Amino acid sequence: MDPVTLTPVDEVRVTTIVDNAYDGLLPDEPSVQRSGIAHRFAAPQFEGGETVAGLWAEHGFSALVEVRRGDRVTRVLFDTALSPDSMLDNADRMQLRLDTVQATVLSHGHFDHVGGLLGLASRFGRAGMPLTVHPQVWTRRRLALPGAGETELPTLSRTALEQEGFDVVERRDPSLLLDGHLLVTGEVDRTTDFERGMPPSHQAWDGTAWRHDRLLLDDQAIVVHVRDRGLVVLTGCGHAGVVNIVRHARRLTGVDRLAALIGGFHLSGPAFAPSIEPTVDALAAWDPDLLVPGHCTGWQAQHALAARMPEAWRAGASGSTYVVAAA
């Protein structure tokens, strides 16, 4: 499946349902809509018996991707955040119609991206909802930090998801959804010399022993081609390296122009600090119109990206909708 014919669309809207940050005072901007603090709740300590509140923010990620071609709009859910309730609560507060979603895609198996899956199929109102995953999404993993012992991470259960009503679709290769309008990258080629993967403390069980899980091969992204604008790339954590992911998307589709890059860039912490500068250099060379680093990007990388590309950089936050439309 190389190259892939990705049908151009007229518009893509990426709504961040849950991210690490929330700021109810962020203003709307061109191509960015914010939900603000406009969600009313019962609260007897106030005159009138109610108050207004914002949205969940936590160390997790979930986004709704809406693709429009002509008068037809199709929707995919990408990741489901960390807590069992955060994604659904935020979706309700924003009045998002999750029952119109046609498929769910998981970026990878880490628990901060799959926590809201339980109860989701019933919210969709139908059984057999396609759930697209990489075959290694079920991998047992742990953190073995020096001086802190070993902590096994929650592992996703295929049996539980099938009992929930999902139709689990495992794909290692790229796949097209929504009548060819949306690309799931599948396993991403690792071609840069500075995106080196996870540190030795990130380990996976291979059936006999715990081994360094450097590559985290189940990491995948979503790609949409907006007519006359270029590619919109949405990452979960970007464990494959966001430069590798964009290179992979450009090679698969034959579309060179990067219109937008949204999601987690996984540049937080000392292990990833050496990757910040070359990542910023590579992204700046592509000159995207919109750059929204969120989730696990880290404050050092955020500052570097904002300083280098101030016209493109936008704050990532729960309740934000980013719009890329055809020229």
Side-chain angles (χ1 to χ4, degrees):
M1 254 189 109
D2 186 12
V4 173
T5 301
L6 184 59
T7 304
V9 304
D10 296 315
E11 182 183 82
V12 61
R13 299 170 63 91
V14 178
T15 297
T16 304
I17 305 176
V18 178
D19 203 343
N20 285 39
Y22 169 72
D23 184 346
L25 301 180
L26 285 172
D28 290 348
E29 303 174 74
S31 301
V32 183
Q33 301 164 8
R34 310 287 188 180
S35 69
I37 304 176
H39 315 285
R40 306 195 77 84
F41 292 88
Q45 70 269 34
F46 294 101
E47 295 288 345
E50 65 178 13
T51 187
V52 293
L55 300 172
W56 282 71
E58 62 179 8
H59 185 79
F61 188 75
S62 176
L64 177 67
V65 182
E66 300 175 277
V67 176
R68 181 178 64 81
R69 191 164 187 254
D71 295 331
R72 186 183 180 198
V73 178
T74 47
R75 296 173 177 87
V76 163
L77 185 65
F78 185 61
D79 288 348
T80 64
L82 170 69
S83 302
D85 301 322
S86 61
M87 181 191 65
L88 291 180
D89 281 357
N90 279 1
D92 287 343
R93 295 182 191 188
M94 289 186 284
Q95 298 183 330
L96 298 178
R97 290 284 307 277
L98 294 186
D99 59 333
T100 63
V101 167
Q102 287 147 304
T104 299
V105 177
L106 297 184
S107 64
H108 62 299
H110 276 163
F111 63 99
D112 52 328
H113 293 257
V114 303
L117 279 169
L118 200 62
L120 189 55
S122 59
R123 177 65 67 96
F124 289 142
R126 61 191 185 277
M129 168 63 65
L131 177 66
T132 300
V133 302
H134 185 283
Q136 291 192 22
V137 76
W138 323 109
T139 302
R140 284 179 61 193
R141 292 184 167 112
R142 74 175 187 180
L143 294 179
L145 299 171
E150 296 82 23
T151 302
E152 186 162 351
L153 306 179
T155 303
L156 199 58
S157 166
R158 177 171 186 153
T159 300
L161 295 182
E162 289 176 337
Q163 290 175 348
E164 172 78 5
F166 285 103
D167 179 12
V168 177
V169 181
E170 292 187 359
R171 290 297 303 271
R172 188 182 298 270
D173 297 324
S175 56
L176 290 170
L177 304 182
L178 309 183
D179 298 328
H181 299 152
L182 183 144
L183 170 67
V184 181
T185 62
E187 204 165 294
V188 174
D189 292 339
R190 315 300 173 99
T191 59
T192 65
D193 59 1
F194 56 86
E195 293 171 310
R196 299 177 180 176
M198 299 294 283
S201 57
H202 186 264
Q203 301 176 351
W205 181 254
D206 67 3
T208 58
W210 291 99
R211 310 286 185 190
H212 179 198
D213 183 18
R214 182 174 68 87
L215 294 181
L216 217 147
L217 291 175
D218 50 317
D219 186 76
Q220 54 186 3
I222 279 178
V223 183
V224 180
H225 179 195
V226 178
R227 178 170 46 83
D228 300 326
R229 293 291 300 278
L231 299 179
V232 175
V233 179
L234 177 62
T235 67
C237 268
H239 285 296
V242 290
V243 177
N244 280 331
I245 291 169
V246 173
R247 283 185 178 182
H248 189 74
R250 294 169 78 230
R251 181 178 61 79
L252 284 175
T253 63
V255 178
D256 290 334
R257 175 74 179 134
L258 176 65
L261 179 61
I262 303 169
F265 293 7
H266 213 281
L267 293 169
S268 182
F272 298 94
S275 299
I276 293 175
E277 184 176 353
T279 297
V280 172
D281 288 342
L283 295 181
W286 283 319
D287 191 25
D289 298 320
L290 180 64
L291 187 69
V292 188
H295 183 40
C296 52
T297 300
W299 68 268
Q300 286 181 298
Q302 289 279 12
H303 281 272
L305 291 161
R308 185 72 173 275
M309 291 171 277
E311 297 301 317
W313 183 90
R314 295 293 182 272
S318 296
S320 301
T321 299
Y322 308 96
V323 183
V324 180

